[in-house]
Amino acid sequence: MEEKKISKFNVGDIVTIAKDYKDSANLDFAQPQVHVYSVRIVNADGTITLAGVFDDIPAKYIEGVSIDSELAKQIYYDTNHARPYEPGKVYQHEDVYSRQPFMITMAERLGNTPLWEKMQAEEFHYVHELQHWLIEHMGASRICVNQFFGMHSPVEV
């Protein structure tokens, strides 16, 4: 009986590609300025399909993103998608080109709450670990890849 290898990553997890593989594989990226990716598909052949990468990547070259790394600055906490629409109410437009890193926004939104205290007690090291915990405790992680990272706002003429 053939043993099926199970990926440690789930669909929706935010990950990165091992630098040595990324440098040597001649991969094709939708947005070269972004170096973190969301898992789209965990394939049966041992590869993983990432959003924004046109090539499937062998699972052994997929790595977690450390919460306190430079790469984590390319990730944001989505505070807008859960806000219900209220007729007649105007919301401040979000500047997608200068979103704060996700942990700063989470601290502002959840700080001094029992949920924040529980989360801090877990001492997560990787973003995908935190995502799994948030899904379990809140029903959704709301942690996303900032597709606009490193881009400048368009100039209006």
Side-chain angles (χ1 to χ4, degrees):
M1 186 164 99
E2 185 180 315
E3 186 177 325
K4 187 175 179 180
K5 184 178 179 184
I6 298 173
S7 172
K8 65 180 177 179
F9 300 110
N10 300 331
V11 171
D13 285 356
I14 295 177
V15 297
T16 192
I17 302 169
K19 184 171 175 18
D20 60 337
Y21 182 79
K22 191 174 184 179
D23 291 346
S24 66
N26 197 27
L27 301 172
D28 192 11
F29 300 96
Q31 296 174 294
Q33 82 278 7
V34 177
H35 302 286
V36 295
Y37 314 93
S38 180
V39 173
R40 284 190 45 231
I41 304 168
V42 177
N43 301 302
D45 67 356
T47 63
I48 294 181
T49 304
L50 302 174
V53 183
F54 295 108
D55 310 276
D56 289 345
I57 310 297
K60 68 182 181 180
Y61 297 112
I62 302 296
E63 300 177 342
V65 176
S66 177
I67 287 176
D68 58 1
S69 68
E70 282 296 310
L71 286 178
K73 293 179 180 177
Q74 298 182 21
I75 302 166
Y76 75 101
Y77 184 67
D78 185 1
T79 59
N80 291 326
H81 87 278
R83 181 170 45 202
Y85 173 74
E86 297 177 40
K89 183 162 183 168
V90 178
Y91 294 104
Q92 181 179 1
H93 178 70
E94 179 187 11
D95 179 6
V96 296
Y97 298 98
S98 57
R99 289 173 170 149
Q100 298 185 101
F102 77 102
M103 286 303 289
I104 293 171
T105 306
M106 289 184 77
E108 289 173 357
R109 298 292 175 128
L110 302 175
N112 298 321
T113 66
L115 184 70
W116 179 256
E117 291 171 16
K118 280 182 173 178
M119 190 180 87
Q120 294 299 306
E122 293 289 331
E123 297 182 8
F124 297 106
H125 297 285
Y126 295 99
V127 175
H128 71 279
E129 295 170 338
L130 175 58
Q131 287 180 285
H132 296 180
W133 188 88
L134 288 168
I135 289 167
E136 182 181 326
H137 290 84
M138 295 178 66
S141 82
R142 296 170 52 182
I143 296 175
C144 307
V145 174
N146 184 357
Q147 300 298 329
F148 299 95
F149 182 82
M151 297 174 72
H152 302 289
S153 6
V155 177
E156 293 185 29
V157 183

